[in-house]
Amino acid sequence: KAGVTQTPRYLIKTRGQQVTLSCSPISGHRSVSWYQQTPGQGLQFLFEYFSETQRNKGNFPGRFSGRQFSNSRSEMNVSTLELGDSALYLCASSLDTGGDTEAFFGQGTRLTVV
Amino acid sequence: GENVEQHPSTLSVQEGDSAVIKCTYSDSASNYFPWYKQELGKRPQLIIDIRSNVGEKKDQRIAVTLNKTAKHFSLHITETQPEDSAVYFCAHTGANSKLTFGKGITLSVRP
C-alpha cells in the first residue's frame, strides 16, 4: 500500500510569489491535514479537509488556503510569500475525521523563501 | 484550551536507563492522546496512543499513562537504546476534533 506522497520535496521561492503544494493520501483515506514544522515550534496545524470540505482551521493568515478533490488528493496554497513562511510543510492522512485515528505523514515539502 | 505543553524540551539519558516525557493539556473534552516519533530527516510516525477511557497502555518497551484529573499524559521508554534518539511529539484531540501537537522533545540516548 503506497504511503502519503507529497510533491514537490523541495521548493525555493522569492518573497511575494505564491506556491502550491500537493498531497496524495493513502488509498481509502478521506481526511487530509496540513501542518507547518519549524525548529522550536513543533507541528502547527494549518487545516483539515474531509470529503472535500474544510473541517478545521488553524491560526494562520488568509494567505494560507487549501482544497481537497473528489479523489481525496489535497493542495495547499500560500500567496504573497514571506521569509517567515520558510518551513517544512507536512500533510497527514487518516481514515476518518474526528482526529482520533492514526495520522500517516508524508515526507514533507521543504519550502525556502528568499 | 487546545494547547498541549511538553516537558522537558530536551532530555539526555544513558543507554539502558528509562526516559519519561510528560505533556499537559487544558481541554477537558480531549479524548485521544497519541505520541509520534520523528527521527532526523524523516516523517513523524505514531508509536503509541491512548484513549480517555484507559489509564495506561503498554507496547514492549514503550508505555503511555493518562491522568485525566490532572490533565497530563506521559510517555515512558524503558531500557533505552541509541535508536530511541529522536524528537517525540505528544498530541491530543479536543472537542473540536482537531489533532493538536506539542512542540516536541529531543531525546538523546548516550551509548
Side-chain angles (χ1 to χ4, degrees):
Chain A
K1 202 175 192 180
V4 179
T5 304
Q6 290 187 247
T7 57
R9 291 291 310 280
Y10 302 93
L11 266 178
I12 299 177
K13 290 286 187 179
T14 306
R15 272 182 304 173
Q17 286 187 310
Q18 74 161 16
V19 67
T20 299
L21 314 181
S22 180
C23 174
S24 294
I26 291 172
S27 177
H29 285 193
R30 295 192 294 166
S31 171
V32 175
S33 296
W34 288 89
Y35 293 87
Q36 181 194 67
Q37 185 173 24
T38 53
Q41 292 302 311
L43 298 164
Q44 294 187 283
F45 177 83
L46 282 154
F47 25 66
E48 181 208 2
Y49 286 88
F50 180 81
S51 292
E52 302 178 65
T53 301
Q54 188 180 87
R55 286 300 180 97
N56 273 302
K57 192 177 189 305
N59 299 319
F60 279 80
R63 300 184 296 107
F64 292 80
S65 63
R67 60 178 175 168
Q68 187 180 35
F69 302 95
S70 58
N71 61 358
S72 294
R73 188 178 71 86
S74 178
E75 286 182 348
M76 190 192 98
N77 186 76
V78 188
S79 62
T80 321
L81 283 166
E82 300 177 0
L83 294 178
D85 296 333
S86 296
L88 179 67
Y89 289 88
L90 291 161
C91 78
S93 76
S94 56
L95 265 176
D96 208 346
T97 189
D100 61 352
T101 54
E102 181 176 358
F104 293 83
F105 282 87
Q107 291 273 40
T109 294
R110 173 76 61 186
L111 172 64
T112 302
V113 182
V114 298
Chain B
E2 61 188 33
N3 288 340
V4 57
E5 302 289 331
Q6 289 192 239
H7 321 280
S9 59
T10 61
L11 179 62
S12 180
V13 299
Q14 192 70 39
E15 182 178 358
D17 286 351
S18 294
V20 182
I21 303 169
K22 181 178 174 180
C23 282
T24 56
Y25 63 98
S26 55
D27 185 352
S28 57
S30 294
N31 55 16
Y32 176 63
F33 307 87
W35 284 89
Y36 282 77
K37 175 184 180 183
Q38 186 178 29
E39 297 177 21
L40 190 63
K42 297 190 176 180
R43 70 190 79 189
Q45 290 188 295
L46 179 73
I47 54 172
I48 195 166
D49 58 11
I50 193 168
R51 299 183 188 276
S52 58
N53 58 346
V54 176
E56 182 174 358
K57 184 176 178 180
K58 194 173 182 180
D59 183 3
Q60 298 180 24
R61 296 186 298 109
I62 294 172
V64 56
T65 57
L66 171 64
N67 184 325
K68 289 175 59 180
T69 303
K71 292 185 185 155
H72 66 72
F73 56 112
S74 299
L75 177 69
H76 305 254
I77 306 174
T78 59
E79 300 170 28
T80 53
Q81 300 165 5
E83 52 264 38
D84 294 328
S85 295
V87 178
Y88 290 82
F89 293 97
C90 64
H92 75 125
T93 299
N96 59 7
S97 300
K98 186 168 71 177
L99 185 63
T100 303
F101 287 82
K103 293 188 176 182
I105 290 171
T106 301
L107 173 65
S108 300
V109 180
R110 305 185 303 272

